Amino acid sequence: MNLTASEKPYPSFVEVVWPRIDWKREIILILVSSWLVALTAQLIIPLQPVPITGQTFGVLLVGALLGSKRGAFALLIYLAQGAVGLPVFAGGASGVARFVGPTGGYLVGFVLAGFVVGWLSERGWDRRFTTTALAMLIGNAVIYACGLPRLAAFVGWEAVLKAGLFPFVAGDLLKILLAAVALPRAWAWVNNRNTT
């Protein structure tokens, strides 16, 4: 059964802001969302020893805003753009080689994480600080669960956490905090606008 936004207990953010989504708007939503991830991937905070990018923030935000299916599809389109050579990955990278290299697992994890965060948002997790933070934490865990085994094939299991997890924890926590503050405030703004 396919429920409309008004029939869902917790419609996604875009379904509330843009209730009538025809096929043209669907294409626009998916493309703009994929470009949002591409844009956030280029945002780099040059910290030492590992710089922080906004890429995972964009991935999780797209899932939360669009919901599970649209979010996952937008991330598939994002990956397809990178695969065909558009410079959408972190630092302007692109190409199929990224999928078979050490970071390939993380890229696959983006789609799954977007779906999971979107699914949680469709259950109201994006409306409060605590549950938004938890949803983003779970989304990050999905990315690492997909990314670390692939990275281990290149650096070995003994070095994988040091190379692919520990340096990114501080940045991930910062991005989770930003999302946990921003999403409930965006919902409060939309709800206030709809009641006035």
Side-chain angles (χ1 to χ4, degrees):
M1 182 167 75
N2 191 7
L3 298 177
T4 65
S6 61
E7 294 170 323
K8 290 181 183 178
Y10 293 100
S12 69
F13 189 84
V14 298
E15 290 171 335
V16 171
V17 173
W18 214 0
R20 294 183 188 93
I21 303 176
D22 59 13
W23 68 270
K24 292 176 192 172
R25 288 182 176 182
E26 197 78 55
I27 291 170
I28 292 168
L29 274 174
I30 298 299
L31 285 176
V32 168
S33 297
S34 72
W35 297 333
L36 172 66
V37 176
L39 177 64
T40 59
Q42 309 317 312
L43 300 175
I44 299 172
I45 301 172
L47 298 179
Q48 296 299 327
V50 178
I52 298 171
T53 72
Q55 188 172 27
T56 55
F57 180 75
V59 166
L60 301 175
L61 189 62
V62 162
L65 294 175
L66 269 63
S68 57
K69 293 176 185 174
R70 277 192 193 101
F73 191 65
L75 292 162
L76 281 171
I77 296 299
Y78 166 71
L79 296 182
Q81 290 173 66
V84 299
L86 296 177
V88 296
F89 299 147
S94 65
V96 177
R98 295 286 169 180
F99 293 91
V100 295
T103 60
Y106 294 101
L107 295 174
V108 171
F110 289 169
V111 178
L112 296 175
F115 181 88
V116 168
V117 171
W119 187 86
L120 293 171
S121 294
E122 291 166 349
R123 277 131 190 92
W125 284 44
D126 61 341
R127 286 149 170 88
R128 292 179 307 283
F129 177 87
T130 306
T131 53
T132 300
L134 186 55
M136 295 295 164
L137 187 63
I138 292 168
N140 265 297
V142 168
I143 293 170
Y144 284 116
C146 295
L148 291 173
R150 180 69 184 157
L151 180 61
F154 290 84
V155 301
W157 282 105
E158 66 284 349
V160 74
L161 295 179
K162 186 176 178 183
L165 175 65
F166 297 148
F168 303 101
V169 169
D172 288 341
L173 292 176
L174 174 63
K175 290 179 265 188
I176 288 169
L177 178 64
L178 288 172
V181 169
L183 284 170
R185 286 189 180 188
W187 272 109
W189 175 78
V190 167
N191 291 334
N192 287 338
R193 189 189 73 167
N194 288 342
T195 57
T196 56

